[in-house]
Amino acid sequence: MGKGLFMKTALITGISGQDGSYLAEYLLDLGYKVYGLVRRETDTMRFLHSVQDKVELLYADMRDPVSLEVAFTKAMPDEIYNLAGQVFVPTSWHLPAETFDINVGGLARLLNMVERLKPETRVYQASSSEMYGNLNGLRNEETPLRPTSPYGVSKTAAHNLCGVYRARGIFVVGGILFNHESPRRGPEMVTRKITLASADWAHGKKNKLKLGNMQARRDWGFAGDYVRAMHAMLQTEKPLDYVIATGESHSVYEFVVEVLHCLDLIPPQAEVADVVNEYVEVDPKLFRTGEIHDLRGDATLARRDLNWTPEVDFEGLVRMMVESDTGVASKGRPAKGQVVKSGA
Ligand code: GDP
């Protein structure tokens, strides 16, 4: 790797999203030439300010093969990172066919193009912990996939498509990333929904936030850590799927408590549950069909083969998101996670 003659070229679908923007920054630092697919001009304005002059944006839609082929032919990439997708589970119940067309059809169009136009291109597919469905304990690469939502089924189909193309000789991997968050997370996802609401809390307003199932547990990591694993998966000798996770899960309730701690809103003598009740309320409309109760991943293989470890822990992640959304320095108990610039 390096600059000049040996510069590698990457094409990132979904470059304007959370993961796409962190990955673009990471690959540019490594000396890559980076192309990114966007659908609309407005997409480019979100998180790409800092790299706008350094990445080349191409217009394409994952559902439109002609636009994809024009973009692919322009980039002729060494590596594709397929991060575009319909990512919100509840939306997948409203728009199941569109979710499939983007999440499965989009990958199928890319793989077909790679095979015809540049079969040595290495492909990273954004697979998901949502593929596992409900099960007790840690999940790894061998755990059976039993999705419970159209989103989960779409990610499982795409993941399996990677397997069959791999058997045909294409270097394609599915990165099974557990939930990963940051100040750039979409506002509909629970972590960001909470930290956005905390901007009011930080300034003395007790606006009650409506949440769904607060007992649901997720293995939340920092997106900036997870994009390093995506890149590492395409540098191995043999293409393999990897789980990327912290190995720890926390409930939505615990996330709220941690946010309140960061803002020093839980007085020492107070009953934590009472304080939580002042800031959030349960709205049964937000409960989910096919809810996955607990997700926890075992990233042993990635730690061993890719030398990957997450640098930001749960407390560090919450603090980073709260500070970014409130503009207030965290006052609560000292977090264990290291300080990372949020760059939102
Ligand atoms: P997901 O794991 O990809 O579905 O990520 P989300 O951030 O959307 O949801 C994580 C968990 O939080 C799920 O178990 C949801 O049921 C739960 N949850 C509880 N209340 C809410 C809410 O108000 N919004 C969202 N998005 N999730 C919620």
Side-chain angles (χ1 to χ4, degrees):
M1 185 144 355
K3 302 196 190 222
L5 227 58
F6 304 109
M7 183 193 270
K8 281 198 198 172
T9 301
L11 175 64
I12 302 175
T13 78
I15 196 169
S16 58
Q18 168 187 261
D19 291 7
S21 61
Y22 281 113
L23 180 66
E25 290 167 6
Y26 183 63
L27 295 180
L28 286 168
D29 273 353
L30 293 175
Y32 274 67
K33 161 87 184 154
V34 176
Y35 290 90
L37 296 193
V38 287
R39 260 182 306 169
R40 294 177 294 267
E41 189 58 37
T42 46
D43 291 347
T44 66
M45 304 313 293
R46 284 199 292 174
F47 313 121
L48 294 172
H49 299 291
S50 63
V51 294
Q52 219 160 13
D53 302 337
K54 300 184 201 130
V55 298
E56 191 156 336
L57 297 177
L58 303 168
Y59 290 84
D61 188 310
M62 297 307 288
R63 292 166 290 189
D64 172 14
V66 175
S67 68
L68 285 178
E69 192 149 334
V70 170
F72 184 89
T73 311
K74 176 93 205 294
M76 277 298 169
D78 300 303
E79 298 171 4
I80 294 184
Y81 295 87
N82 185 33
L83 311 184
Q86 193 302 95
V87 302
F88 192 43
V89 172
T91 300
S92 78
W93 289 104
H94 298 299
L95 300 171
E98 188 179 331
T99 301
F100 262 69
D101 201 7
I102 298 169
N103 294 5
V104 190
L107 174 70
R109 291 173 195 113
L110 289 179
L111 289 171
N112 176 267
M113 256 174 3
V114 165
E115 190 171 67
R116 284 185 292 110
L117 303 174
K118 193 177 176 191
E120 62 276 24
T121 302
R122 295 185 167 202
V123 182
Y124 172 87
Q125 163 63 11
S127 292
S128 160
S129 53
E130 206 74 22
M131 301 189 302
Y132 291 116
N134 277 305
L135 175 97
N136 291 329
L138 283 166
R139 278 82 157 165
N140 65 21
E141 295 79 4
E142 306 302 322
T143 308
L145 305 178
R146 299 207 180 88
T148 57
S149 66
Y151 171 79
V153 177
S154 77
K155 284 292 176 183
T156 305
H159 189 71
N160 289 338
L161 196 60
C162 293
V164 296
Y165 269 87
R166 190 151 64 209
R168 258 160 88 90
I170 301 290
F171 192 114
V172 49
V173 303
I176 309 173
L177 273 51
F178 283 61
N179 297 50
H180 44 288
E181 321 293 309
S182 74
R184 304 178 191 180
R185 191 55 148 145
E188 71 281 19
M189 313 305 283
V190 76
T191 54
R192 188 79 199 291
K193 184 174 166 179
I194 297 165
T195 60
L196 279 169
S198 77
D200 276 345
W201 306 345
H203 296 99
K205 289 190 223 144
K206 286 189 181 172
N207 294 345
K208 271 207 180 187
L209 176 67
K210 286 189 163 75
L211 292 175
N213 175 16
M214 286 208 272
Q215 303 318 313
R217 302 180 71 84
R218 291 292 182 271
D219 182 334
W220 281 298
F222 171 51
D225 283 340
Y226 286 36
V227 300
R228 289 188 281 108
M230 297 178 185
H231 172 258
M233 280 182 224
L234 294 191
Q235 317 309 314
T236 59
E237 227 166 273
K238 241 178 44 184
L240 274 184
D241 300 329
Y242 289 95
V243 162
I244 301 297
T246 70
E248 244 184 58
S249 73
H250 295 270
S251 67
V252 172
Y253 180 88
E254 286 164 21
F255 194 96
V256 172
V257 171
E258 194 59 38
V259 168
L260 294 173
H261 270 307
C262 284
L263 295 171
D264 204 14
L265 292 173
I266 305 185
Q269 308 308 330
E271 197 61 55
V272 174
D274 293 341
V275 180
V276 170
N277 283 334
E278 289 173 34
Y279 291 95
V280 299
E281 64 186 332
V282 172
D283 180 353
K285 286 203 289 295
L286 295 171
F287 279 72
R288 294 180 174 184
T289 316
E291 171 71 296
I292 301 179
H293 303 290
D294 189 9
L295 279 175
R296 215 151 48 86
D298 173 4
T300 304
L301 200 64
R303 286 174 193 270
R304 194 192 67 197
D305 289 6
L306 310 176
N307 200 15
W308 178 83
T309 45
E311 286 177 6
V312 179
D313 66 7
F314 180 70
E315 288 83 7
L317 175 67
V318 174
R319 189 180 51 179
M320 183 199 303
M321 294 178 71
V322 167
E323 290 188 347
S324 170
D325 280 333
T326 63
V328 172
S330 175
K331 305 186 195 88
R333 52 187 166 169
K336 281 179 267 153
Q338 78 176 59
V339 182
V340 172
K341 73 172 166 42
S342 67

